[in-house]
């Protein structure tokens, strides 16, 4: 680090110039990212995707559908609009409500626009549909592609809203920490540059990866919070050194000391992000990719751009001084002394508080977000709710069964297999009705089918019906469940059916299957991800601090803090408190918050223990080193945590529910970590274990 620090200070002008050039280039690409984002990231490449694509290609079933809702419109008006929509190149097929009683009710009517699986970008298509219908009152559209686009728009608005709330408050916290305008603005500038460059890189990668719309929120949230944290730590250490050394020497010392802490902190965050890759769900891949890029850039800017800028500014870093920051060492000294005198009592009280906060976890209910993610103010959400209330489109979820037969289905034996599968479905108490070649033709047995089809007066009368459900070696039918696809009962249904022996190869699709694949993928892999995080974090902290107990305590305390966080999330979002309507917790939230916060909270562990270690290595006793470390870092940890809470907590005021829950979850976890854990439990345990804190097998002396 010494040679690296010397290079950064020696070539500070070229370093700053290179960063500004990089920023200008990637800012151009960053502006294009919103148009590259598609879907909510809940995607697994499994049976659901295979069957959906196969039904579209082989049986001409729609891959996606957009609903057009009409209110108090005449048949002529509906026909006129549907004809215009039908003439769009992208539309594969159209179903008009005119003359179809099932699509008309209580003054409402709805038509269907069907698309095949060749369409990859629905956003321009939705814009075209809205352009056709926007001048007509009483016409609105909805469906998965429309809701996805509107969530994209809402996410961008949420980002702007969160930044408008969080950044000014973060600036105030920085002003209170540094007392001068230049020193306070610098972390925000570094953070902004980090995020813009990361978004630009993601734009370039979007040609190779499907990126979720939530990347637009998670990456800036993570990038800003970490960059400002790192800058805060670095500038604070630089200022300490500047009281005794030149600008160049102070910057170099800050790189070697604070820089080491920043690198170890970033490694812990990257481990949490990287561990998500084992869960083969697109949103985790996206966040792992985007998060790793922005964390790497946060380290790079903190160790090059920031110190080079400080070198050029010199003492002008303190320009625009608003007030002189008062020394708070005496207050923290008293606090540290209070904690060190009563370690057992403080440990007991702190753990009791965390355990009480965990109690609501027993009631946690996890769901995959759908239309509920979108604020009720959006027309597509209102339209979907109207369709559900009026026509019950969400009441009976369809499960598609696609079977492949080594022999042809167009024989007596083949038809018997089809009929047997149909009857097994109908015998299942979860199945309300089945759509198959037999039910559509209103045929009650194979014998009746063959008798009707071989009638000399109308030979092959049922061939056209059969062709709709049978193509070569493939056959499909649809079972409608008497529950919605979001229920655990629907998921259990598809799990049970995938284990059945039907005498042929088959696969299922539909919302129930989609949800089951997501749930099972997360459930099967989450423990692996957690194990990777815990083991890797333990090894990194053991290497950083040359101790067995310190990483072990850090991991256990993190788990306690996260458990309390999840309990509070259930209390707020599931029980419905603080103005939040009672609902459920989005399935990905526990995984995301655990993986992100486990690394983020290690920032403060590394900041605090690194300083304690410095004092201990210099010769201080364990108790004195702990007090000195706590006094030296408490203010900076508190300021950094407050900024992290402000940046992430600002998303509590956004409208997209998964983003709101992620922001609130991270803010709560950081608040618990920076107060109960880092300022109370850590020093108490350091006092309790004494020199054993620094024990490492086969290690001699300090």
């Amino acid at each position: 680090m010494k040679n690296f620090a010397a290079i950064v200070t020696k070539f500070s002008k070229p370093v700053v110039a290179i960063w500004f050039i990089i920023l200008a280039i990637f800012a151009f690409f960053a502006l294009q990212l919103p148009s590259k984002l598609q879907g909510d990231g809940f995607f697994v490449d499994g049976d659901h995707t295979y069957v959906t694509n196969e039904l579209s290609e082989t049986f001409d079933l729609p891959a996606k559908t957009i609903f057009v809702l009409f209110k108090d419109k005449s048949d002529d008006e509906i026909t006129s609009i549907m004809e215009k929509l039908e003439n769009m190149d992208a539309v594969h097929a159209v179903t008009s409500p005119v003359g179809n009683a099932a699509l008309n009710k209580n003054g409402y009517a709805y038509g269907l626009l069907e698309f095949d699986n060749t369409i990859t970008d629905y956003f321009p298509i939705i814009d075209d549909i809205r352009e056709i219908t926007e001048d007509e009152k009483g016409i609105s559209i909805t469906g998965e592609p429309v809701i996805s686009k509107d969530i994209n728009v809402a996410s961008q608005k949420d980002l702007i809203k969160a930044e408008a709330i969080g950044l000014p408050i973060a600036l105030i916290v920085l002003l209170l920490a540094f007392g001068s305008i230049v020193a306070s603005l610098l972390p925000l500038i570094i953070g902004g540059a980090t995020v813009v460059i990361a978004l630009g890189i993601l734009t370039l990668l979007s040609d190779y990866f499907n990126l979720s719309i939530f990347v637009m929120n998670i990456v800036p949230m993570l990038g800003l919070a970490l960059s400002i944290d790192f800058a805060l730590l670095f500038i604070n250490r630089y200022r300490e050194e500047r009281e005794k050394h030149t600008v160049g020497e102070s910057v170099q010392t800050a790189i070697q000391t604070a820089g080491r802490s920043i690198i170890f902190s970033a490694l812990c965050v990257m481990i949490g992000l990287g561990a998500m890759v084992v869960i083969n769900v697109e949103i985790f891949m996206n966040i792992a990719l985007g998060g790793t890029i922005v964390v790497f850039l946060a380290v790079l800017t903190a160790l090059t751009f920031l110190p080079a800028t400080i070198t050029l500014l010199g003492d002008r870093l303190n320009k625009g001084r608003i007030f002189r920051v008062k020394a708070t060492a005496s207050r923290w000294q008293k606090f540290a002394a209070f904690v060190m005198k009563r370690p057992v009592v403080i440990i007991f009280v702190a753990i009791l508080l965390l355990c009480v906060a965990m109690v609501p976890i027993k009631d946690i209910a996890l769901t995959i977000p759908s239309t509920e993610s979108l604020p009720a103010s959006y027309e597509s959400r209102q339209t979907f709710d109207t369709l559900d209330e009026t026509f019950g489109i969400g009441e009976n979820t369809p499960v598609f069964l696609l079977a492949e037969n080594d022999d042809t289905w167009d024989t007596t034996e083949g038809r018997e297999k089809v009929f047997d599968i149909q009857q097994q479905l109908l015998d299942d108490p979860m199945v309300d009705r089945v759509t198959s070649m037999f039910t559509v033709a209103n045929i009650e047995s194979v014998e009746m089918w063959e008798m009707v089809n071989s009638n000399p007066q109308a030979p092959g009368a049922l061939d056209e019906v059969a062709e709709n459900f049978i193509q070569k070696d493939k056959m499909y039918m649809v079972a409608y469940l008497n529950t919605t696809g979001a229920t655990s009962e629907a998921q259990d249904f598809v799990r049970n059916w995938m284990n059945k022996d039907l005498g042929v190869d088959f696969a299922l699709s539909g919302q129930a299957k989609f949800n089951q694949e997501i749930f099972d993928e997360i459930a099967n892999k989450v423990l692996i991800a957690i194990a990777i995080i815990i083991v890797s974090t333990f090894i990194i902290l053991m290497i950083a601090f040359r101790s067995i107990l310190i990483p072990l305590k850090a991991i256990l305390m993190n788990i306690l803090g996260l458990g309390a966080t999840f309990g509070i999330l259930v209390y707020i979002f599931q029980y419905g408190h603080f103005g939040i309507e009672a609902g459920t917790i989005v399935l990905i939230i526990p995984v995301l918050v655990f993986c992100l916060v486990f690394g983020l909270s290690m920032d403060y562990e590394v900041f605090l223990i690194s300083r304690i270690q410095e004092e201990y290595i210099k010769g201080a006793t364990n108790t004195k080193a702990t007090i000195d470390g706590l006094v030296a870092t408490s203010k900076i940890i508190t300021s950094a945590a407050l900024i992290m809470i402000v940046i992430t907590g600002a998303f509590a005021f956004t409208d997209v529910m998964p983003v709101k829950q992620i922001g609130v979850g991270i803010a709560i976890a950081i608040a618990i970590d920076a107060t109960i854990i880092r300022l109370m439990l850590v020093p108490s345990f350091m006092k309790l274990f004494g020199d054993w804190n620094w024990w490492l097998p086969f290690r001699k002396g300090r």
Side-chain angles (χ1 to χ4, degrees):
M1 289 291 282
K2 190 173 181 180
N3 292 334
F4 174 78
I7 292 170
V8 171
T9 52
K10 184 178 179 180
F11 299 101
S12 55
K13 284 184 180 179
V15 169
V16 172
I18 289 168
W19 274 111
F20 272 111
I21 292 169
I22 292 171
L23 177 60
I25 292 169
F26 283 97
F28 169 77
F29 292 108
L31 293 171
Q32 303 171 35
L33 183 61
S35 63
K36 303 283 187 179
L37 305 178
Q38 292 260 349
D40 56 14
F42 285 88
F43 173 79
V44 174
D45 190 11
D47 284 355
H48 170 75
T49 302
Y50 162 71
V51 172
T52 300
N53 290 336
E54 195 64 50
L55 291 175
S56 177
E57 292 174 7
T58 307
F59 295 95
D60 207 28
L61 266 63
K64 291 188 186 292
T65 301
I66 290 178
F67 297 84
V68 184
L69 181 66
F70 301 92
K71 182 181 179 182
D72 299 326
K73 291 291 181 182
S74 66
D75 287 352
D76 290 342
E77 289 174 313
I78 293 173
T79 300
S80 174
I81 292 294
M82 293 303 291
E83 285 177 352
K84 290 178 183 177
L85 296 173
E86 189 174 10
N87 290 331
M88 292 175 59
D89 293 335
V91 176
H92 180 65
V94 167
T95 301
S96 173
V98 176
N100 189 335
L103 306 183
N104 289 266
K105 191 175 182 181
N106 299 334
Y108 288 102
Y110 73 92
L112 306 173
L113 305 180
E114 298 175 352
F115 302 86
D116 58 32
N117 62 353
T118 61
I119 305 297
T120 56
D121 186 1
Y122 282 88
F123 288 5
I125 296 170
I126 294 165
D127 289 337
D128 292 341
I129 295 172
R130 282 176 166 161
E131 189 176 338
I132 292 171
T133 60
E134 66 181 353
D135 294 333
E136 299 284 343
K137 290 183 179 179
I139 302 177
S140 56
I141 62 173
T142 191
E144 188 268 326
V146 185
I147 289 169
S148 177
K149 177 177 170 59
D150 285 349
I151 290 177
N152 185 305
V153 172
S155 296
Q156 293 176 54
K157 289 181 179 178
D158 281 354
L159 178 60
I160 294 169
K161 185 191 294 184
E163 288 178 346
I165 295 169
L167 291 179
I169 300 175
L171 179 59
I172 292 170
V173 175
L174 288 167
L175 283 169
L176 292 173
F178 294 138
S180 71
I181 293 173
V182 174
S184 302
L185 285 175
L186 191 54
L188 296 177
I189 293 168
I190 298 297
T194 300
V195 169
V196 169
I197 295 168
L199 296 179
I201 293 171
L202 286 172
T203 301
L204 296 178
L205 293 176
S206 64
D207 292 332
Y208 307 97
F209 300 95
N210 293 323
L211 296 179
S212 159
I213 51 184
F214 295 128
V215 165
M216 201 70 195
N217 299 103
I218 303 297
V219 170
M221 182 196 298
L222 189 60
L224 278 173
L226 268 180
S227 294
I228 294 172
D229 260 16
F230 291 163
L232 191 62
L233 174 69
F234 190 95
I235 293 172
N236 185 69
R237 188 56 188 259
Y238 162 78
R239 281 181 148 191
E240 284 182 24
E241 297 299 325
R242 183 67 184 94
E243 293 176 3
K244 298 169 280 187
H245 304 100
T246 65
V247 170
E249 289 171 341
S250 301
V251 170
Q252 289 183 33
T253 302
I255 292 175
Q256 293 172 60
T257 53
R260 180 177 180 271
S261 297
I262 287 168
I263 289 170
F264 278 111
S265 298
L267 280 173
C268 291
V269 177
M270 285 185 184
I271 287 167
L273 290 164
M276 286 192 281
V277 173
V278 302
I279 304 174
N280 190 26
V281 178
E282 194 173 84
I283 191 168
F284 294 121
M285 305 285 190
N286 286 177
I287 292 172
L289 175 67
T292 301
I293 289 170
V294 81
V295 172
F296 176 77
L297 286 170
V299 174
L300 210 55
T301 54
L303 298 185
T304 57
F305 193 9
L306 177 62
T309 305
I310 292 174
T311 303
L312 293 178
L313 287 171
D315 290 332
R316 285 173 293 180
L317 182 68
N318 298 318
K319 259 200 162 187
R321 186 177 291 280
I322 298 174
F323 55 86
R324 188 168 294 279
V325 179
K326 294 180 181 178
T328 57
S330 59
R331 278 183 288 173
W332 286 113
Q333 193 88 31
K334 290 177 183 176
F335 174 78
F338 174 81
V339 172
M340 301 301 275
K341 284 180 183 176
R342 305 165 180 82
V344 176
V345 174
I346 286 174
I347 289 170
F348 175 78
V349 172
I351 290 177
L352 180 65
L353 287 172
L354 294 175
C355 289
V356 170
M358 286 185 201
V359 172
I361 293 179
K362 63 182 174 56
D363 298 323
I364 193 168
L366 303 173
T367 56
I368 295 175
S370 54
T371 54
E372 294 82 12
S373 296
L374 192 63
S377 59
Y378 278 75
E379 186 180 67
S380 58
R381 166 75 185 274
Q382 296 169 1
T383 303
F384 183 88
D385 291 343
T386 300
L387 283 169
D388 193 21
E389 292 167 9
T390 307
F391 297 96
I393 61 171
E395 289 178 3
N396 297 108
T397 187
V399 173
F400 296 85
L401 184 151
L402 178 69
E404 295 186 36
N405 192 4
D406 293 335
D407 301 318
T408 178
W409 294 97
D410 192 23
T411 62
T412 300
E413 185 181 358
R415 284 187 279 271
E416 285 176 348
K417 286 182 180 178
V418 175
F419 191 79
D420 180 60
I421 294 170
Q422 172 193 292
Q423 292 308 111
Q424 287 191 57
L425 283 168
L426 288 171
D427 289 341
D428 194 301
M430 287 290 296
V431 176
D432 190 52
R433 67 184 190 279
V434 172
T435 298
S436 72
M437 54 189 275
F438 287 99
T439 59
V440 168
N442 200 24
I443 299 294
E444 297 179 358
S445 67
V446 175
E447 292 78 11
M448 183 183 293
W449 177 284
E450 293 183 341
M451 182 177 67
V452 171
N453 214 32
S454 60
N455 188 335
Q457 295 180 353
L462 300 177
D463 288 350
E464 187 175 343
V465 175
E467 285 176 7
N468 290 332
F469 293 90
I470 293 174
Q471 290 292 328
K472 297 181 180 178
D473 62 337
K474 294 182 176 63
M475 178 277 300
Y476 89 93
M477 63 180 65
V478 188
Y480 292 88
L481 308 187
N482 51 27
T483 185
T484 63
T487 61
S488 58
E489 291 81 9
Q491 293 173 42
D492 289 339
F493 171 84
V494 293
R495 286 191 193 97
N496 293 336
W497 265 81
M498 288 308 299
N499 293 324
K500 286 183 179 288
D501 182 7
L502 301 182
V504 292
D505 293 330
F506 72 98
L508 304 176
S509 72
Q511 187 188 1
K513 179 62 179 172
F514 168 80
N515 287 356
Q516 172 262 317
E517 287 180 341
I518 298 284
F519 266 92
D520 289 357
E521 177 65 21
I522 293 175
N524 294 336
K525 303 285 182 64
V526 68
L527 291 180
I528 298 173
I530 290 172
I532 290 170
I533 292 170
I534 290 174
V535 172
S536 302
T537 301
F538 180 86
I539 292 170
I540 286 174
L541 293 182
M542 183 181 70
I543 293 169
F545 301 122
R546 300 174 188 177
S547 164
I548 294 290
L549 275 177
I550 285 173
L552 191 60
K553 288 185 298 180
I555 288 167
L556 291 174
M557 285 186 286
N558 259 16
I559 291 171
L560 273 174
L562 284 165
T565 299
F566 297 145
I568 295 170
L569 278 177
V570 171
Y571 179 81
I572 294 172
F573 289 99
Q574 202 170 309
Y575 293 174
H577 289 93
F578 304 109
I580 302 292
E581 185 180 346
T584 56
I585 305 295
V586 177
L587 174 65
I588 60 168
I589 299 302
V591 181
L592 277 181
V593 171
F594 186 95
C595 293
L596 289 173
V597 172
F598 203 94
L600 288 173
S601 61
M602 285 300 172
D603 275 0
Y604 310 123
E605 178 77 9
V606 172
F607 294 170
L608 174 57
I609 300 297
S610 292
R611 200 55 184 268
I612 295 173
Q613 186 186 39
E614 274 188 54
E615 301 303 320
Y616 187 74
I617 289 172
K618 288 176 185 176
T621 64
N622 177 75
T623 300
K624 188 174 187 317
T626 302
I627 292 173
D628 291 347
L630 193 63
V631 170
T633 59
S634 291
K635 179 185 175 183
I636 206 68
I637 286 177
T638 304
S639 300
L642 189 54
I643 287 170
M644 183 82 77
I645 291 165
V646 166
I647 295 291
T648 58
F651 285 85
F653 301 98
T654 58
D655 295 321
V656 178
M657 188 54 69
V659 175
K660 186 193 289 281
Q661 291 184 359
I662 290 170
V664 172
I666 293 174
I668 291 170
I670 296 299
I672 290 172
D673 186 84
T675 53
I676 296 176
I677 292 176
R678 229 44 72 189
L679 298 182
M680 296 172 68
L681 282 178
V682 170
S684 296
F685 276 119
M686 291 296 292
K687 169 69 176 177
L688 207 60
F689 286 103
D691 288 335
W692 281 102
N693 286 299
W694 310 103
W695 177 78
L696 185 68
F698 313 113
R699 174 186 164 199
K700 293 181 180 179
R702 298 193 181 206

